[in-house]
């Protein structure tokens, strides 16, 4: 699946007539504080947006864009090709009563978006990954709109952070049929995973949308990306500035950071490789371990993602032959470095998948795995260093 000239995720959204990224915003003040916190952790204070040119690609429902618009950028361009998403964006902005910059909505694919200007800030969340050729091409195009010295905010889906979702896909697809329509699949999977999702107290969207976007979206198994892949795609023309979660502490003396000695990307990736295992469980606070173990773990999780995509529509025998050996290697890799609850969760999922027949009740009653969710939506801010 490496070579493709299309967006797998967008094709799925358009085919099903969905945009499963709605936020349940009951408290707008709280939502704004969450977005402000994200920007702060990425190294951007609110005033930085004021009177700046901003581009956001794939804003989905536009709920996150509301906050950005209130920071009063000079111009604010949105690029969204999903008709359902465009409909949601128009509804989201139609009745806003507070001061904001009205965005210009471009109902286009990114590959068709042309603009003879550069932007101070370029944003995209949830897409693109870095594994598929098409996604690499789109990330490069996205970066081409950033002014020298400007900043790009992107999300990345690390395969280690995606572990719990890959396992839920393997479990979930044993409960549904290819013949079922989206509504029926969503209904069945919600019954199975409702007890799991109830453990996510800060979940921002509906359980139905999470299921449609994580368990049923074919893109998830090829959406993975890492900081190292990003810097390679961008040909080191961008420097990693900050991340969420925080991976890097740079204790180097600033007076030594000039010319080829700066090595911001190299330093970040080295620090990332010490802590990347923590992404497997969002409940784990950052801790270090062997970089070699984590580099091996990342490769195993890449393999698990691929094996999930190829085998999730088959039963026990295929799982035991094609997937279980990879998961066993992952458990062995992590055995001495993770909390017992996390390891018990992985073992419980493995044991369930080795059963001949799975029932909804088997899934809903899982005692350990029901609380395991990874850090799969991570963020990077990168600065365009072409102003040297």
């Amino acid at each position: 699946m490496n070579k493709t000239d299309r967006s797998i995720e967008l094709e799925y959204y358009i085919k099903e007539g969905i945009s499963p990224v709605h936020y349940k915003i009951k408290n707008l003040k709280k939502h704004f504080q969450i977005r402000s916190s994200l920007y702060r952790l990425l190294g951007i204070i609110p005033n930085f947006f004021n009177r700046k040119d901003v581009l956001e690609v794939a804003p989905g429902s536009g709920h996150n864009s509301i906050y950005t618009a209130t920071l009063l950028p000079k111009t604010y361009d949105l690029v969204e090709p999903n008709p359902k998403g465009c409909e949601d964006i128009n509804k989201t902005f139609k009745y806003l009563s507070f001061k904001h910059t009205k965005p210009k909505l471009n109902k286009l694919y990114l590959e068709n978006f042309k603009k003879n200007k550069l932007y101070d800030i370029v944003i995209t969340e949830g897409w693109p990954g870095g594994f598929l050729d098409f996604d690499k091409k789109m990330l490069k195009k996205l970066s081409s709109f950033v002014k020298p010295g400007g900043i790009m905010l992107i999300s990345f889906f690390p395969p280690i952070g995606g572990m719990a979702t890959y396992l839920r896909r393997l479990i979930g697809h044993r409960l549904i049929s290819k013949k079922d329509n989206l509504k029926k699949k969503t209904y069945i999977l919600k019954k199975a995973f409702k007890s799991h999702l109830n453990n996510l107290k800060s979940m921002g969207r509906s359980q139905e949308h999470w299921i449609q976007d994580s368990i049923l979206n074919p893109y998830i198994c090829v959406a993975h990306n890492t900081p190292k892949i990003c810097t390679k795609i961008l040909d080191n023309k961008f420097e990693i500035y900050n991340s969420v979660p925080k991976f890097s502490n740079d204790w180097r003396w600033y007076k030594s950071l000039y010319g080829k000695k700066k090595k911001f990307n190299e330093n970040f990736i080295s620090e990332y490789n010490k802590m990347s295992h923590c992404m497997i469980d969002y409940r784990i606070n950052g801790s270090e371990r062997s970089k070699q173990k984590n580099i091996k773990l990342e490769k195993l999780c890449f393999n698990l993602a691929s094996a999930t995509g190829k085998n999730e529509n088959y039963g026990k025998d295929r799982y035991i032959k094609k997937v279980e050996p990879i998961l066993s290697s992952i458990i062995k890799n992590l055995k001495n470095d993770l909390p017992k609850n996390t390891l018990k969760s992985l073992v419980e999922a493995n044991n369930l998948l080795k059963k001949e027949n799975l029932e909804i009740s088997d899934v809903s009653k899982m005692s350990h795995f029901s609380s395991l969710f990874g850090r799969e939506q991570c963020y990077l801010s990168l600065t365009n260093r072409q102003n040297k």
Side-chain angles (χ1 to χ4, degrees):
M1 296 184 73
N2 193 19
K3 292 186 178 181
T4 178
D5 59 355
R6 66 190 189 280
S7 171
I8 294 173
E9 183 170 49
L10 182 60
E11 284 193 343
Y12 163 68
Y13 287 172
I14 292 176
K15 177 186 174 184
E16 299 293 351
I18 58 173
S19 179
V21 291
H22 285 266
Y23 282 169
K24 298 180 293 182
I25 303 178
K26 296 179 181 179
N27 184 330
L28 197 60
K29 182 178 180 180
K30 177 183 175 182
H31 177 63
F32 282 8
Q33 289 177 351
I34 290 170
R35 297 302 298 178
S36 174
S37 295
L38 173 63
Y39 286 158
R40 178 185 176 87
L41 291 172
L42 289 172
I44 303 175
I45 60 173
N47 277 352
F48 187 75
F49 284 86
N50 188 250
R51 306 301 300 166
K52 296 294 195 301
D53 294 313
V54 180
L55 169 66
E56 183 173 1
V57 175
S61 63
H63 287 138
N64 290 336
S65 308
I66 301 174
Y67 173 68
T68 306
T70 66
L71 301 179
L72 303 179
K74 179 181 177 182
T75 64
Y76 191 15
D77 287 333
L78 304 180
V79 176
E80 175 57 63
N82 184 0
K84 178 61 177 173
C86 291
E87 179 185 323
D88 292 341
I89 291 168
N90 286 327
K91 288 180 180 178
T92 297
F93 277 92
K94 187 173 183 179
Y95 299 109
L96 292 187
S97 58
F98 41 81
K99 189 175 181 180
H100 67 282
T101 298
K102 184 177 180 180
K104 179 182 178 181
L105 177 58
N106 299 271
K107 302 177 182 180
L108 295 170
Y109 292 85
L110 175 58
E111 54 265 44
N112 296 329
F113 178 66
K114 297 178 181 179
K115 202 79 170 179
N116 293 322
K117 69 178 288 186
L118 298 178
Y119 296 84
D120 299 288
I121 308 167
V122 173
I123 305 168
T124 191
E125 297 182 48
W127 178 88
F131 177 69
L132 300 177
D133 288 345
F134 176 78
D135 287 4
K136 293 176 184 177
K137 183 179 177 181
M138 290 302 99
L139 184 54
K140 280 188 175 181
K141 176 156 187 177
L142 192 72
S143 71
S144 72
F145 291 110
V146 184
K147 289 179 181 178
I151 193 164
M152 179 166 64
L153 311 181
I154 64 173
S155 58
F156 68 98
F157 189 103
I160 298 174
M163 271 285 301
T165 294
Y166 301 144
L167 293 174
R168 284 191 173 87
R169 288 183 71 97
L170 290 163
I171 293 168
H173 280 74
R174 295 272 293 275
L175 302 174
I176 57 177
S177 168
K178 284 185 176 181
K179 297 178 181 179
D180 296 335
N181 60 29
L182 182 69
K183 184 176 180 180
K184 184 174 181 180
K185 289 176 182 176
T186 304
Y187 173 77
I188 292 170
L189 294 172
K190 184 178 178 182
K191 286 184 68 177
F193 291 117
K194 183 177 178 64
S195 61
H196 298 220
L197 296 172
N198 284 343
N199 290 321
L200 278 178
K201 303 303 180 185
S202 297
M203 192 171 179
R205 52 181 168 171
S206 70
Q207 294 186 359
E208 290 85 357
H209 278 188
W210 185 90
I211 287 164
Q212 290 171 1
D213 207 29
S214 296
I215 307 301
L216 297 175
N217 183 353
Y219 184 62
I220 292 299
C221 292
V222 292
H224 37 263
N225 201 350
T226 68
K228 185 175 182 178
I229 291 176
C230 284
T231 58
K232 187 175 180 180
I233 293 170
L234 299 172
D235 196 26
N236 280 316
K237 294 176 181 176
F238 281 73
E239 291 175 328
I240 296 173
Y241 180 41
N242 272 303
S243 69
V244 176
K246 183 75 71 176
F247 291 103
S248 175
N249 288 310
D250 198 334
W251 282 83
R252 297 175 299 164
W253 181 235
Y254 77 95
K255 289 185 179 180
S256 69
L257 304 181
Y258 58 88
K260 293 182 179 180
K261 296 181 180 180
K262 290 195 297 182
K263 295 187 176 181
F264 291 121
N265 290 344
E266 293 87 344
N267 182 74
F268 180 92
I269 291 168
S270 177
E271 294 293 302
Y272 173 88
N273 285 334
K274 295 177 187 177
M275 303 181 67
S276 59
H277 65 290
C278 299
M279 293 186 292
I280 201 165
D281 189 339
Y282 80 101
R283 297 168 296 181
I284 300 175
N285 292 323
S287 62
E288 295 184 1
R289 73 166 192 162
S290 160
K291 289 192 288 186
Q292 288 70 31
K293 277 188 178 181
N294 278 346
I295 290 169
K296 184 177 180 180
L297 174 65
E298 188 169 84
K299 290 179 180 177
L300 287 169
C301 291
F302 272 122
N303 292 340
L304 185 72
S306 177
T308 297
K310 293 175 181 176
N311 299 286
E312 63 187 5
N313 291 311
Y314 302 92
K316 178 200 74 171
D317 293 342
R318 188 78 163 259
Y319 170 77
I320 291 174
K321 183 178 180 181
K322 299 289 187 179
V323 186
E324 197 270 342
I326 304 172
L327 180 56
S328 293
S329 295
I330 289 171
I331 292 172
K332 183 179 179 181
N333 177 285
L334 292 164
K335 189 174 183 179
N336 298 319
D337 302 304
L338 287 186
K340 289 182 179 180
N341 282 342
T342 305
L343 290 169
K344 286 180 179 178
S345 299
L346 298 176
V347 171
E348 183 180 34
N350 188 28
N351 290 337
L352 183 67
L353 284 162
K354 289 191 286 187
K355 290 183 64 174
E356 185 67 43
N357 297 302
L358 296 189
E359 303 292 338
I360 290 174
S361 59
D362 295 327
V363 182
S364 64
K365 293 178 181 178
M366 296 179 83
S367 57
H368 297 288
F369 185 69
S370 60
S371 296
L372 179 66
F373 291 88
R375 293 179 181 267
E376 54 187 45
Q377 177 103 322
C378 301
Y379 289 82
L380 288 177
S381 56
L382 305 104
T383 56
N384 185 347
R385 64 179 180 184
Q386 294 179 15
N387 59 340
K388 298 188 287 186

